[in-house]
Amino acid sequence: MFGYDLSVIALIGIILLIGIVKKNAIMMIDFALEAERDHGKSPLEAIHEACLLRFRPIMMTTFAAIGGGLPLAIGQGAGSELRRPLGIAIVGGLLVSQWLTLYTTPVVYLYLDRFAHWLAGKRRRPTGEIPDSVSGGQRQAV
C-alpha cells in the first residue's frame, strides 16, 4: 500500500501489535469473568461493563504506541528507510487492530459462553433439553 516490502523490521512491528491486541483482549475478558464470578452478573452485562471500564486504558496504551510509532513512520534522514516500515506497521496496524478488537472481543466472548452452555447442556441432560441461557428462556426437547 505504501510501496514498502514486508521486511524483518516490519515483522517485528507486527509481533508487537499481536502482543498489544492480545493484552487488551485479555484485560476485557478477565474483567468480565471477574464480574460474572464475584458479582453474579450475566455474561452480557459483564462484558458490557468490562468494555466500558477498560475502554479508556486500552485507548491510552494505543495512543501511546501510535505516538511512539508516528515519528518512525514519517521520519526523514539517515536510516529512515530501515525504520519507516516498522512505523507504518505499528501505526496502521494499531488503528485497524484496535477497532477490530473492541468490536470482536465481546462478540466472541458471548458466543463462546453460549457454546460452553450448549456443551454443558449436552453432557448433563440426556433428554436433550437446551439450557434457559441458550434458548432464550424457552425449553425445547431435541
Side-chain angles (χ1 to χ4, degrees):
M1 182 171 178
F2 290 99
Y4 292 100
D5 293 334
L6 186 62
S7 64
V8 173
I9 302 298
L11 285 174
I12 292 170
I14 292 171
I15 291 170
L16 173 85
L17 287 172
I18 292 169
I20 291 173
V21 170
K22 178 184 60 88
K23 175 196 65 81
N24 291 339
I26 288 172
M27 271 196 332
M28 281 198 303
I29 292 170
D30 184 45
F31 195 87
L33 287 173
E34 182 181 326
E36 271 189 72
R37 291 177 185 149
D38 297 343
H39 304 293
K41 295 188 177 190
S42 72
L44 181 63
E45 291 172 339
I47 195 68
H48 184 260
E49 183 180 350
C51 289
L52 292 176
L53 293 176
R54 297 287 102 199
F55 178 75
R56 185 172 149 219
I58 288 171
M59 294 310 291
M60 286 170 55
T61 58
T62 300
F63 286 129
I66 288 174
L70 206 54
L72 294 172
I74 61 174
Q76 303 279 326
S80 66
E81 64 274 356
L82 181 66
R83 294 185 301 266
R84 189 168 289 146
L86 174 64
I88 291 171
I90 290 172
V91 172
L94 279 171
L95 292 174
V96 172
S97 65
Q98 289 308 107
W99 182 75
L100 286 173
T101 301
L102 291 172
Y103 283 107
T104 59
T105 300
V107 173
V108 170
Y109 179 81
L110 292 174
Y111 279 139
L112 287 177
D113 181 68
R114 287 181 183 171
F115 183 67
H117 282 297
W118 180 76
L119 282 179
K122 280 237 178 197
R123 277 186 258 133
R124 287 189 203 146
R125 295 177 183 85
T127 61
E129 291 181 13
I130 299 174
D132 286 336
S133 61
V134 176
S135 66
Q138 303 166 354
R139 294 262 178 199
Q140 300 173 355
V142 177

